[in-house]
Amino acid sequence: MKEHGILIIGGGLAGLTAAIHLALEGLDVAVIEIQQYPHHKVCGEYVSKEIEPYLKGLGVDLKISGALAISKFQISTQDGFMVQTELPLGGFGISRYAFDNLLFKRAQELGVHFYFEKVVETVFKKDSFTIKTKTGCYFSKIAIGAYGKRSVLDKNLNRDFSKNKQSWLAVKAHYNNNDFPENLVALHNFKGGYGGLSKTETGAVNFCYLVHYDSFKTYKDVNSFNKAVVAENPFLKKFLSTSEPIFERPMTIAQIAFDKKETIVDHMLMCGDTAGLIHPLCGNGMAMAIHSAKIASELIVRFFNDADYSRNLLEQDYKLAWAKAFKKRLWFGRKLQGILMNKALVSLGIKSVGRSSSILKYIISKTHGDLIA
């Protein structure tokens, strides 16, 4: 059995950010992650600039790493009515392949331990955690769950959302397209779903979309669905017809859950998508993952440094702080989701917004946060 002060299950944005933060505070941290770095993940690959000051404080600079500055946002209806505006704060375009690897290298510099294994069980007993993998066993005082949207662990932990059949499918691929602007993130609607476009640090355009499985299941594969349904939106039709795919085949994730999730499960602090998933249309899941890691890390540091700060207080404070930071954003995201999945409502809404850019900026502000440091 290997022992650490803190074990983090999952080495995505939330897990790696927490590892860096805690290591900078001198704590003994280990991350258990399934895949070696670098690797691609299904993701919109746009991150709000709200996290830039905090990341710089951790020794991570997205500009130096080649991330592209994004300042404009556009959205279109299924039939091609488009509205564009300036982003109030702006963001970065960077692939998860590069972003996760950047954080991984920073964590390594700080002495974070990495174990590339699959966690199969977590047990909390006698005020400590035992984390079991297929080949080993790990022990810690604190555990963070940052393993993403869905895992077999969710069923083992008896989480409510894992008992329900989910109907969402996400698809991602990179494309070469020299005509797509570097400073733009675009959201285009189509029947049964919507997709985001933005450039990454390599110059490749990331196209990631979410679709209801009922719309997708009648087609034999992603390419067939793209041609028959996605391309009904004229902007997406033009993009797909003038772009060269880089991936051999698109990446997909099924059974995506947007249900409410618990932030504490069996005394484990949940971060990032493991704690709650914002709809991709809000374009802010990456920033929320990083922010949630900051909240958890600050409270964990207090737990280790203050003998009077109990586990019970830590858990209560994390629930409250997480809800304060994200509950309204997630609620707003669910409401927007309902509108975007209704063709008549989204057409009326976007055309109404088109008469006032201030309304669109207000909607964007409701899914984004303030600068965090």
Side-chain angles (χ1 to χ4, degrees), residues 67-291:
L68 301 179
I70 294 178
S71 59
K72 294 182 182 296
F73 170 75
Q74 67 177 206
I75 184 170
S76 75
T77 62
Q78 294 180 27
D79 58 5
F81 181 85
M82 189 268 287
V83 177
Q84 182 167 302
T85 188
E86 295 285 330
L87 287 166
L89 189 60
F92 292 107
I94 183 170
S95 70
R96 291 296 299 276
Y97 186 92
F99 200 168
D100 289 30
N101 197 46
L102 178 67
L103 295 174
F104 167 61
K105 289 180 178 179
R106 177 60 176 148
Q108 279 188 314
E109 289 174 2
L110 296 170
V112 174
H113 302 269
F114 282 86
Y115 302 104
F116 293 99
E117 300 186 65
K118 182 177 181 178
V119 173
V120 294
E121 186 181 10
T122 65
V123 178
F124 181 79
K125 190 175 182 181
K126 295 182 179 179
D127 203 38
S128 297
F129 291 90
T130 301
I131 311 294
K132 299 178 181 179
T133 68
K134 286 188 174 182
T135 60
C137 200
Y138 302 86
F139 176 83
S140 68
K141 188 71 174 176
I142 291 289
I144 296 175
Y147 47 81
K149 300 173 181 64
R150 194 176 185 92
S151 166
V152 67
L153 279 180
D154 292 316
K155 288 191 175 181
N156 292 344
L157 291 167
N158 201 32
R159 303 185 77 186
D160 289 340
F161 78 90
S162 67
K163 303 170 188 176
N164 303 324
K165 185 177 181 180
Q166 305 297 332
S167 54
W168 295 102
L169 172 74
V171 180
K172 165 192 165 170
H174 279 186
Y175 295 84
N176 285 321
N177 186 307
N178 295 328
D179 295 330
F180 192 88
E182 285 189 354
N183 65 340
L184 176 69
V185 58
L187 181 69
H188 298 298
N189 288 275
F190 55 85
K191 184 179 179 181
Y194 48 86
L197 292 166
S198 58
K199 272 197 172 179
T200 67
E201 76 290 341
T202 64
V205 181
N206 180 52
F207 179 35
C208 187
Y209 65 78
L210 186 75
V211 61
H212 199 281
Y213 188 70
D214 286 345
S215 299
F216 182 84
K217 64 184 180 182
T218 57
Y219 298 89
K220 63 179 182 179
D221 55 32
V222 171
N223 289 332
S224 299
F225 180 75
N226 287 352
K227 291 177 181 178
V229 179
V230 175
E232 287 184 348
N233 180 302
F235 292 102
L236 293 176
K237 181 178 182 178
K238 181 180 178 181
F239 174 78
L240 291 170
S241 65
T242 59
S243 301
E244 178 188 357
I246 295 173
F247 293 174
E248 184 176 340
R249 61 179 60 87
M251 300 176 67
T252 60
I253 295 180
Q255 291 285 309
I256 298 175
F258 294 102
D259 301 351
K260 292 181 181 179
K261 299 179 181 180
E262 309 93 333
T263 50
I264 303 288
V265 182
D266 197 21
H267 302 282
M268 188 186 310
L269 278 66
M270 300 303 193
C271 286
D273 290 346
T274 314
L277 184 63
I278 195 166
H279 292 277
L281 65 97
C282 298
N284 212 31
M286 294 166 76
M288 285 180 57
I290 291 165
H291 191 178

